[in-house]
Each structure stands twice: as structure tokens, then as C-alpha cells.
Amino acid sequence: MKNLLLFIVTISCFVANAQIITKEDSLNAGLTPGTNATVISGYGQAKVAYDLRFGTGEANITRNVMFFGHKFNDQFGFFSETELENAKVANGASGEISLEQLFLKTNLNRNMYLVTGLFIPRIGTINENHLPTTFNGNDRPFVEQLIIPSTWREIGIGLYGQTRSIPGLNYSVAVINGLNAQGFSFGSGIREGRFEGSQATAGNVAVTGALLYYFHNFRFQVSGYYGGANGLSKRESDSLQLDHGAFGTPISLLESNIQYHNKGISVKALTTVVDIYDADKINRAYASNTPSQMVGSYVEAAYNVLYYFNPKTEKNLSVFSRYEYMNLNNKLPENGVKDNFQEKQYWVSGITYQPVRGIVFKADYIYSETGNYNTQLYVVNPYATQLPFYKSNHQINVGFGYSF
């Protein structure tokens, strides 16, 4: 199955042609009229999830994001997004208020611009384009949550542009702050190693870049990341036996994705790999179980049934299905402990309905399957009754999303 998926990833395609969706997109595209124009925009989503295995359910306002931007003139613009997750942060609630972006955009010419501040690098399909109206299913693809830690934003400077000699070819390159290896955790990879603009260490840095190519109904992208994960001083690093410097204790991430969209048919595929080269040193320093490599892939197909009745319709009633595979401990250092529970598969199928641009209603069914867990990694009180372990589960989600 894994080999088949990787084969499908290399030949499958989907593209959603670039289009203006929100006021933020209009500001970014330079279509906001006048100068000294302030723009308000936003997006959010809510869902109800029901666990068929245990007969439990949860209703949640997943996120609400408000965008504030300003166009100073045709060259300079300001972009910011503030996100509230899980509705509240008081009284022990699991919610969070955070900045998702805050940067200045400087147009250098018609084909190039700079971003400076807290921004989202071009990695994967969801990181840049994560509005709930742009993806199927109530949840973002799991591969782009657990391996590519979307939404992944850091502080730095980035150059974006397009070439004149090859129409449709776009590029980006950026220098941003690095990660924190102490936050790496078994089962969520590098996700908790992000700083997200909060007191990030600047002694370690990362470089990231992407090539994006539009060709007819296809969209091709490759992107990469390489950066240090230790921002401690030399003295602290030596005491923990970690490599010090701009790219000390490095990690790398590579991903490629292909998309296709035509006549109501949409297909997308993505594959990614993360290498943590000094995982053994990280495990020794922080008593963790960091893997040396994680891999993941998915493929999704969808069809807008309303297109069959009216090819010019702007409404969308898509039936979709997505298969995902990931191994969060594909390779381990000598001091790592294998856990087959970290080898996961997901089958997600459902319906996405957009009556107007900016509003979406969703329903999906998720079947998940893992390997057996390693009892060495789970401490159970011998006087307590251990809950049964299941390798598979079933879940139903319904929800809605919006963007404006």
C-alpha cells in the first residue's frame, strides 16, 4: 500500500487556479483601490465530532481568525491575523490566542516582493492556503498537521516572485528563525518545536524555499526547509552535548505536491519527509524519544456533482475521498524506542457544500488504523484498570466554515 501510494503521488495532479477569495487576498494581489486603505477580513470554523468506538461526542468552535491589513501605497502594505482557538482561554480551557501572521510587504517591482516579520512559508498545500473554504473535510489533512506542522509561521524575511521567461513559474526563498529541539515530542514530531513569533531564539536560523508552477489545469510544487534546532549559548550547548551555531542540531524537510482541477474533478497528492540528524543527541539531552526520520503521503479525489448539471455554476457540492499514510518513527537513532502505534493510516470520505463563495458546510467519516503500541513507552498504574487498546477507530464529523 505504501509503495502504491508513493506511485500515485508521483503521477496524480490537482490544481486550483489562483483566485481572489477574501479581502486579504485582494490586498495581497494589489487590487485594493486607493492608498491609506484599511482592510478587515477573517475566517473560522466549527464542528461536532462523534466517536463511534466509544460513543462520545464533542462540539467545538475550532478557530476564529480576524485579519487587519493596511495599504500605505502601491509599494508598502501591512498584514496581520489574530487567531482564537477553541472559543476561550480562561478557567483552564484548552483555547489559545495567538498571532498567525504580522508582516510588512514591500513590492520591489511587478514580479517580486519582500515580506518581513511573522509570516507563513510556502510549504505543503495547507500551510499557505488553510481557509476552511479551500479544503475538503472538517480537519486539515493529518499529514499536514503532524509531519508538516501547519500552520507553521516564524519570524524572518522572504522573497517571492515569478519569472518572465517561464510563464506560470513562481519561486520563494526565506530566512527565518530556527526551531527548539527541546519541544520535539514523540507522536507530534517537530510541531511543538515551533516558536510562532514568541521569544524565538535568533542564534539558530533556517532557510526555506519553494518552486511553484502552474500549467493549464495543473499545479506543481516542491519545497524544502533546513535549519538549526538549538538556539542555546555555546556553554549550555556543550553541557547538553548539542551542536551549537546557526545550523546546529539541524533538521530538514522536503515535500512535493501535485494538483489538478478540471470540469468538476479535483485530485491532489502530497508526499513529505522530515530528517532529524542529531536525534540521538536530542534524546540524550532532553530524555525524549525523538525519531531520526518521519514520512507521510496522501492522495485525494473529489467531484463537484453540481458541475454535471450546470458547468457554469459557482456552487459546489463535492463528494471526496482521501487516503493518508504516515510513520512518525520511520527511522530511529540507537537510543530511540520503536512504537508501531506511530504508523498511521486514515481514510476520510465526505461531502463539501458551498452555496456561495465564502461559506461551506461539511460532513465526513474518518476510519483510522494504527499498529500496536509499545508497552515500554506507556506507564500504567498497576493498581488501575488499563483501558482496552484498539488499533482502529471510526469518527463522524459535521461542521461549517466561512471566509470573507
Side-chain angles (χ1 to χ4, degrees):
M1 178 63 73
K2 289 182 285 186
N3 292 334
L4 175 60
L5 178 61
L6 291 174
F7 173 74
I8 293 174
V9 166
T10 61
I11 64 172
S12 301
C13 331
F14 159 3
V15 85
N17 291 326
Q19 56 183 332
I20 303 302
I21 300 175
T22 67
K23 291 184 179 179
E24 177 184 350
D25 297 318
S26 180
L27 178 63
N28 187 58
L31 300 179
T32 299
T35 58
N36 288 318
T38 299
V39 173
I40 299 176
S41 185
Y43 70 90
Q45 62 186 121
K47 76 168 183 176
V48 176
Y50 187 75
D51 190 308
L52 297 174
R53 170 71 72 182
F54 297 103
T56 58
E58 179 184 87
N60 189 36
I61 303 297
T62 310
R63 57 180 49 87
N64 182 66
V65 180
M66 292 304 298
F67 170 82
F68 294 91
H70 186 77
K71 178 183 178 182
F72 295 96
N73 55 32
D74 289 337
Q75 184 176 15
F76 296 101
F78 168 74
F79 295 72
S80 72
E81 282 183 351
T82 302
E83 178 179 34
L84 170 62
E85 293 184 353
N86 303 325
K88 60 185 293 186
V89 295
N91 302 321
S94 60
E96 177 185 20
I97 297 176
S98 61
L99 282 173
E100 191 161 280
Q101 60 179 2
L102 191 153
F103 66 86
L104 293 172
K105 179 185 177 186
T106 304
N107 294 318
L108 302 178
N109 54 46
R110 293 181 58 187
N111 298 306
M112 289 196 305
Y113 64 88
L114 285 172
V115 295
T116 309
L118 178 67
F119 63 93
I120 300 169
R122 184 171 289 162
I123 301 175
T125 66
I126 290 294
N127 208 40
E128 274 195 312
N129 304 302
H130 50 263
L131 300 183
T133 52
T134 61
F135 63 88
N136 291 313
N138 284 275
D139 297 305
R140 300 169 180 177
F142 297 104
V143 169
E144 296 198 72
Q145 296 183 54
L146 296 175
I147 298 184
I148 301 175
S150 303
T151 303
W152 189 0
R153 65 273 195 187
E154 304 290 358
I155 297 174
I157 182 169
L159 173 68
Y160 291 75
Q162 58 186 357
T163 65
R164 292 183 178 182
S165 57
I166 306 177
L169 180 62
N170 300 261
Y171 59 86
S172 68
V173 61
V175 178
I176 55 179
N177 63 262
L179 296 172
N180 178 13
Q182 188 174 6
F184 296 173
S185 60
F186 196 64
S188 62
I190 64 175
R191 186 173 186 85
E192 298 306 317
R194 301 170 301 166
F195 284 99
E196 300 178 316
S198 176
Q199 299 178 312
T201 58
N204 60 319
V205 299
V207 293
T208 179
L211 290 175
L212 169 62
Y213 181 50
Y214 291 93
F215 181 74
H216 296 303
N217 297 311
F218 297 89
R219 180 185 189 274
F220 305 89
Q221 179 179 299
V222 293
S223 67
Y225 171 98
Y226 183 85
N230 173 31
L232 300 174
S233 68
K234 188 176 188 307
R235 181 176 180 178
E236 292 173 303
S237 301
D238 290 344
S239 68
L240 293 172
Q241 301 181 55
L242 293 174
D243 289 345
H244 172 73
F247 295 99
T249 313
I251 79 155
S252 68
L253 182 151
L254 295 173
E255 76 79 26
S256 63
N257 65 82
I258 312 172
Q259 305 184 28
Y260 172 80
H261 179 75
N262 189 34
K263 296 183 178 180
I265 298 174
S266 301
V267 183
K268 69 168 62 174
L270 177 145
T271 186
T272 185
V273 58
V274 172
D275 286 298
I276 306 173
Y277 302 100
D278 291 343
D280 57 336
K281 297 179 181 179
I282 295 171
N283 291 339
R284 183 178 60 231
Y286 299 118
S288 60
N289 191 27
T290 299
S292 54
Q293 186 181 83
M294 302 182 296
V295 297
S297 300
Y298 69 82
V299 62
E300 176 186 299
Y303 180 66
N304 178 11
V305 297
L306 297 182
Y307 180 89
Y308 178 82
F309 301 99
N310 180 10
K312 296 182 179 181
T313 182
E314 292 187 358
K315 297 181 180 181
N316 184 350
L317 178 60
S318 288
V319 179
F320 78 94
S321 186
R322 180 171 70 244
Y323 171 75
E324 301 191 47
Y325 169 83
M326 71 182 80
N327 191 335
L328 299 172
N329 57 186
N330 189 57
K331 292 182 182 179
L332 288 165
E334 290 185 359
N335 58 4
V337 181
K338 183 78 172 180
D339 183 13
N340 290 328
F341 178 71
Q342 304 305 326
E343 187 170 1
K344 305 173 186 286
Q345 298 181 80
Y346 297 90
W347 288 264
V348 185
S349 299
I351 297 173
T352 300
Y353 176 55
Q354 289 185 272
V356 296
R357 180 175 293 182
I359 295 177
V360 64
F361 298 94
K362 302 181 179 185
D364 59 77
Y365 164 79
I366 302 174
Y367 173 76
S368 59
E369 188 174 290
T370 71
N372 282 312
Y373 73 94
N374 188 334
T375 56
Q376 298 180 51
L377 296 170
Y378 301 88
V379 178
V380 178
N381 188 326
Y383 300 103
T385 302
Q386 184 175 357
L387 295 174
F389 172 77
Y390 299 99
K391 294 173 59 178
S392 62
N393 200 7
H394 308 259
Q395 181 172 312
I396 293 176
N397 301 315
V398 293
F400 70 88
Y402 60 88
S403 64
F404 60 89

